Amino acid sequence: QVQLVESGGGLVQAGASLRLSCAASLRTFSSYGMGWFRQAPGKEREFVAAISGGGGSTDYADSVRGRFTISRDNAKNTVYLQMNSLKPEDTAVYSCAASTLERTRWKNEYYYWGPGTQVTVSS
């Protein structure tokens, strides 16, 4: 079975930083591309960032580029999302996901999903 569990969410003020973690039970973690997605109330789930299995290639949504950084530690089966200069519009439930593709921003290519962690940014 596959289990992805996010952590690190919380309530912060605009301009603050937060780091999310996603621990995965995937048998061959390094063979999966990993991604972060978010969903705000009344909105559809949107792509945030993705990283290849080896960590050598990344991709970001325009809305977070320059502020967020995705990384992974394959020895710990963990992917991270460092979020800096947070804005109220970043408020959402953030979920990590695993894809059999090396790297993709398309949600339909992710087969395993975590339950998500809430990030709330106050103004």
Side-chain angles (χ1 to χ4, degrees):
Q1 63 178 20
V2 176
Q3 190 73 232
L4 277 63
V5 181
E6 304 92 341
S7 62
L11 173 64
V12 298
Q13 293 186 355
S17 296
L18 207 58
R19 189 177 78 159
L20 305 183
S21 298
C22 174
S25 64
L26 294 166
R27 186 176 181 181
T28 54
F29 181 70
S30 63
S31 68
Y32 290 87
M34 298 295 295
W36 284 97
F37 292 78
R38 66 187 183 186
Q39 186 168 26
K43 304 289 185 179
E44 65 180 66
R45 183 180 292 130
E46 65 176 356
F47 168 78
V48 175
I51 188 168
S52 60
S57 181
T58 59
D59 190 22
Y60 298 93
D62 290 342
S63 60
V64 306
R65 187 174 182 272
R67 297 189 298 121
F68 291 11
T69 302
I70 187 172
S71 62
R72 65 193 296 162
D73 186 339
N74 288 343
K76 297 181 179 179
N77 277 29
T78 302
V79 62
Y80 305 94
L81 183 67
Q82 177 66 47
M83 305 183 293
N84 298 326
S85 301
L86 283 163
K87 305 174 181 179
E89 50 263 46
D90 293 320
T91 295
V93 173
Y94 285 71
S95 301
C96 67
S99 173
T100 54
L101 297 178
E102 267 298 298
R103 192 200 74 187
T104 180
R105 62 168 61 206
W106 309 115
K107 59 185 179 183
N108 62 305
E109 296 292 347
Y110 288 86
Y111 301 103
Y112 307 113
W113 295 80
T117 184
Q118 178 71 47
V119 172
T120 302
V121 184
S122 65
S123 59

